C-alpha cells in the first residue's frame, strides 16, 4: 500500500464542520442519546474537552456526557415568553410536569407503573404541601396529560400500553402502563438553593451570575468580565436579534469593542456569520439549518410579516415623516395605523394568503401578525397599546411574484 492509498484523517475543514453540527445539536436539543444519534454522540465524546471548555468559557454552560447521552445545560441571558414549553397553556401544566419528574426520579431504569398510581402519588404529595389537585376536574386531567406528553417526547417516560387522552376523557375508567427512564434525573438543572426559595424568575438568573463572590479587586473585576461575557454570548446564541439599546451600558461597550472577536468565535463554533448595522450586531446562518427555527419560518405569518415590512418601507420612502421614529430607529404606530397597513395589504395580496388568514377579520389578523413579530423581536407593544416596529423588521422585504402566480404559483 503506497502513501496515496492510505486512509487519511479528517481535514481541518471537516473537523470544523463536525464541531459546528454537534454544537448546534447540543444548543437546539434537550440532549443527544447514543441510541438515537450514535454518530453525533461519538463526535461529542471525541471532542468533549474542546466543547466543554468553549461553552463553559464563553457562555457559562456545563456539558454533561455519560455512557448513554450528552446534555448541554442551557441558561438564557434574558428570559423571553417564547422560551416556554410548546403546548403548555397555564402554570398548572408546568407544575405537574415538574412533579411528574419528581415521581420518576424515584423509579429505577425500566421500572413499570400505572398512570393512576402516578397521579395519585402526585396528588397526595401536593396535598401535603397545601395544594389541591382534583383529578375529577377535566381541566386538571388535561393539564396532567399535557405534562405527560411532554415527558414522553423528552424520552423520560415510555408508554407501554394505553394513551393519556383516554384518561383525560374518562378519568378513573381508563389507565396507561408506563416505563421509567433514568433520564428523568437530568431534565432540570441544579440550583444553589431549593426552587421554592425563589420568588421571581429573574432571581434564577441573578443567582447563576453571583453564585461565587470573589473577595479581591482583581477577582471581582475578572468575575464581572466573565459574567458580562456569559450573558452576551447566551443572548446572541439564543435570541433572534439583540439590538444595541437592549444591552446595558457595560454590555454594549463590550459588544462594540469585542465585535471582531465575538464574530469570529461564533462563526468558528456554530457557523453563525455576523454583520454590524447601525442598530446592532446581527448574526445569521448563511444556509438553512435543520436544527433551529429560522426567520422567515414556514408559517404564513412570516409571509405577511415580510409583506408588511415592504409596505412600510414604501410608505416611509414616499412620506418619510408619516410615522414617528425614535433615536434607536424604531417606528411607532398606533394600533389603528398598524391595522391600516394590514388592510391595504389585504386589498392587494389576500388572494395569495392562506384560507385561515383570508377568513380572519383585520383585527384578529393583526393579533396574529403582531404576536409573530414580537416572538422574533421585530416588534413590541407598549403598555399604552402603541406598536413599536423594531429595526430588524427593516432588514426584510417580501412581495409575491405575480408573473409566477399566473402560471400556478406565487
Amino acid at each position: 500500500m503506497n502513501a496515496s492509498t492510505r486512509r487519511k484523517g479528517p481535514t481541518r475543514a471537516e473537523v470544523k464542520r463536525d464541531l459546528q453540527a454537534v454544537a448546534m445539536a447540543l444548543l437546539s436539543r434537550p440532549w443527544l442519546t447514543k441510541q438515537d444519534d450514535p454518530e453525533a454522540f461519538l463526535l461529542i465524546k471525541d471532542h468533549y474537552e474542546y466543547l466543554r471548555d468553549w461553552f463553559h468559557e464563553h457562555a457559562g454552560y456545563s456539558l454533561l456526557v455519560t455512557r448513554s447521552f450528552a446534555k448541554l445545560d442551557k441558561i438564557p441571558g434574558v428570559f423571553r415568553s417564547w422560551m416556554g414549553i410548546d403546548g403548555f397553556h397555564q402554570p398548572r401544566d408546568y407544575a405537574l410536569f415538574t412533579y411528574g419528574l419528581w415521581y420518576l426520579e424515584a423509579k429505577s431504569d425500566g421500572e413499570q407503573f400505572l398512570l393512576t398510581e402516578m397521579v395519585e402519588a402526585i396528588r397526595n404529595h401536593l396535598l401535603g404541601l397545601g395544594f389541591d389537585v382534583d383529578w375529577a376536574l377535566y381541566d386538571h386531567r388535561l393539564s396532567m396529560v399535557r405534562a405527560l406528553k411532554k415527558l414522553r417526547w423528552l424520552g423520560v417516560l415510555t408508554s407501554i400500553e394505553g394513551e393519556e387522552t383516554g384518561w383525560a376523557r374518562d378519568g378513573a375508567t381508563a389507565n396507561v402502563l408506563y416505563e421509567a427512564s433514568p433520564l428523568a434525573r437530568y431534565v432540570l438543572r441544579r440550583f444553589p438553593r431549593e426552587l421554592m426559595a425563589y420568588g421571581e424568575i429573574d432571581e434564577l438568573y441573578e443567582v447563576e451570575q453571583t453564585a461565587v463572590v470573589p473577595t479581591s479587586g482583581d477577582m471581582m473585576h475578572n468575575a464581572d468580565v466573565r459574567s458580562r461575557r456569559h450573558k452576551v454570548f447566551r443572548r446572541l446564541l439564543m435570541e433572534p436579534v439583540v439590538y444595541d439599546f437592549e444591552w446595558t451600558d457595560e454590555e454594549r461597550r463590550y459588544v462594540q469593542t469585542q465585535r471582531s472577536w465575538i464574530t469570529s468565535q461564533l462563526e468558528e463554533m456554530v457557523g453563525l456569520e455576523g454583520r454590524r448595522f447601525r442598530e446592532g450586531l446581527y448574526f445569521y446562518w448563511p444556509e438553512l439549518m435543520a436544527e433551529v427555527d429560522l426567520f422567515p419560518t414556514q408559517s404564513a405569518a412570516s409571509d405577511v410579516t415580510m409583506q408588511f415590512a415592504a409596505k412600510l418601507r414604501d410608505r416611509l420612502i414616499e412620506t418619510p415623516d408619516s410615522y414617528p421614529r425614535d433615536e434607536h430607529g424604531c417606528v411607532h404606530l398606533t394600533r389603528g395605523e398598524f391595522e391600516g397597513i394590514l388592510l391595504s395589504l389585504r386589498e392587494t395580496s389576500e388572494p395569495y394568503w392562506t384560507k385561515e388568514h383570508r377568513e380572519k377579520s383585520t383585527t384578529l389578523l393583526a393579533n396574529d401578525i403582531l404576536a409573530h413579530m414580537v416572538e422574533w423581536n421585530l416588534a413590541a407593544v407598549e403598555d399604552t397599546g402603541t406598536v413599536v416596529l423594531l429595526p430588524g423588521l427593516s432588514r426584510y422585504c417580501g412581495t409575491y411574484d405575480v408573473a409566477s402566480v399566473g402560471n400556478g404559483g406565487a
Side-chain angles (χ1 to χ4, degrees):
M1 180 183 293
N2 58 39
S4 62
T5 59
R6 290 178 189 153
R7 184 180 182 273
K8 297 180 179 179
T11 65
R12 188 180 187 281
E14 290 172 337
V15 171
K16 179 179 177 180
R17 181 196 61 205
D18 290 341
L19 276 172
Q20 290 177 348
V22 295
M24 281 310 307
L26 286 167
L27 285 166
S28 306
R29 306 181 201 176
W31 45 52
L32 287 84
T33 64
K34 183 178 181 180
Q35 180 179 356
D36 294 336
D37 200 339
E39 184 177 352
F41 179 77
L42 289 176
L43 281 170
I44 292 170
K45 291 196 73 173
D46 289 343
H47 301 284
Y48 167 71
E49 291 186 358
Y50 179 77
L51 289 164
R52 178 200 62 191
D53 293 346
W54 193 94
F55 280 113
H56 177 75
E57 180 67 20
H58 292 76
Y61 291 165
S62 298
L63 177 61
L64 172 66
V65 178
T66 70
R67 291 181 299 175
S68 58
F69 75 96
K71 179 179 186 284
L72 185 68
D73 251 346
K74 298 171 284 288
I75 307 163
V78 173
F79 294 97
R80 301 291 191 185
S81 60
W82 52 264
M83 293 178 180
I85 297 177
D86 289 339
F88 281 14
H89 301 160
Q90 51 190 306
R92 189 193 305 119
D93 301 354
Y94 290 90
L96 293 176
F97 174 81
T98 304
Y99 282 107
L101 291 171
W102 162 82
Y103 180 81
L104 290 171
E105 283 186 356
K107 299 295 179 182
S108 58
D109 185 13
E111 183 176 349
Q112 295 186 351
F113 56 91
L114 295 172
L115 168 60
T116 50
E117 297 172 352
M118 181 182 190
V119 296
E120 191 60 27
I122 291 174
R123 182 175 187 274
N124 291 336
H125 181 71
L126 288 174
L127 283 173
L129 297 174
F131 299 98
D132 184 19
V133 56
D134 187 355
W135 301 128
L137 298 176
Y138 178 70
D139 282 348
H140 288 201
R141 295 200 304 274
L142 207 57
S143 284
M144 189 68 209
V145 166
R146 287 192 287 266
L148 289 167
K149 286 184 175 180
K150 182 56 65 172
L151 290 169
R152 285 201 292 111
W153 179 83
L154 286 169
V156 301
L157 185 64
T158 302
S159 174
I160 304 301
E161 184 179 349
E163 292 185 357
E164 302 89 358
T165 50
W167 177 76
R169 183 178 60 251
D170 303 325
T173 62
N175 217 333
V176 183
L177 177 64
Y178 289 121
E179 185 174 284
S181 163
L183 290 173
R185 302 178 181 90
Y186 301 98
V187 174
L188 298 180
R189 69 181 178 92
R190 305 299 177 183
F191 295 92
R193 293 183 288 159
E194 289 292 329
L195 281 175
M196 296 297 291
Y198 305 121
E200 300 290 337
I201 194 169
D202 288 342
E203 293 179 20
L204 302 178
Y205 166 76
E206 293 298 332
V207 166
E208 180 68 25
Q209 295 299 311
T210 59
V212 179
V213 181
T215 54
S216 72
D218 289 342
M219 291 177 67
M220 180 70 76
H221 172 73
N222 292 336
D224 288 343
V225 172
R226 183 172 61 253
S227 175
R228 189 178 308 126
R229 180 175 65 248
H230 289 174
K231 187 174 182 181
V232 165
F233 272 87
R234 288 175 183 183
R235 296 195 67 182
L236 293 176
L237 283 168
M238 299 189 73
E239 298 182 44
V241 57
V242 185
Y243 305 104
D244 278 352
F245 62 83
E246 293 182 301
W247 301 112
T248 65
D249 291 341
E250 293 80 7
E251 291 164 354
R252 184 165 52 253
R253 280 194 295 270
Y254 179 82
V255 171
Q256 291 174 347
T257 57
Q258 301 297 320
R259 179 181 67 199
S260 298
W261 179 77
I262 293 171
T263 302
S264 66
Q265 289 297 306
L266 289 176
E267 191 281 328
E268 182 72 20
M269 176 52 74
V270 296
L272 278 167
E273 294 189 8
R275 289 188 63 186
R276 176 70 197 181
F277 292 95
R278 181 176 60 181
E279 64 272 11
L281 182 60
Y282 287 12
F283 286 90
Y284 62 93
W285 275 278
E287 300 178 0
L288 291 176
M289 295 285 294
E291 290 286 355
V292 294
D293 293 330
L294 301 177
F295 186 88
T297 69
Q298 296 297 316
S299 167
S302 285
D303 296 345
V304 179
T305 296
M306 290 194 295
Q307 294 170 62
F308 185 99
K311 177 67 73 172
L312 178 67
R313 181 179 299 179
D314 290 342
R315 291 195 176 185
L316 289 174
I317 291 174
E318 293 172 3
T319 53
D321 298 328
S322 54
Y323 304 114
R325 276 182 276 192
D326 60 26
E327 68 275 15
H328 304 305
C330 302
V331 177
H332 293 250
L333 306 179
T334 65
R335 177 60 185 241
E337 289 171 332
F338 184 84
E339 291 187 10
I341 296 176
L342 279 178
L343 185 61
S344 66
L345 279 178
R346 167 163 284 183
E347 293 172 353
T348 58
S349 304
E350 188 178 45
Y352 315 124
W353 289 355
T354 62
K355 180 181 178 182
E356 179 186 4
H357 283 156
R358 290 198 306 269
E359 293 179 349
K360 282 189 174 181
S361 67
T362 301
T363 298
L364 291 179
L365 178 64
N367 290 341
D368 287 352
I369 302 306
L370 189 53
H372 191 67
M373 289 182 178
V374 170
E375 181 179 1
W376 287 96
N377 205 20
L378 303 176
V381 181
E382 295 181 338
D383 294 338
T384 59
T386 299
V387 177
V388 182
L389 302 178
L390 302 176
L393 185 65
S394 66
R395 302 299 168 188
Y396 296 95
C397 182
T399 58
Y400 285 112
D401 185 353
V402 180
S404 296
V405 172
N407 296 323

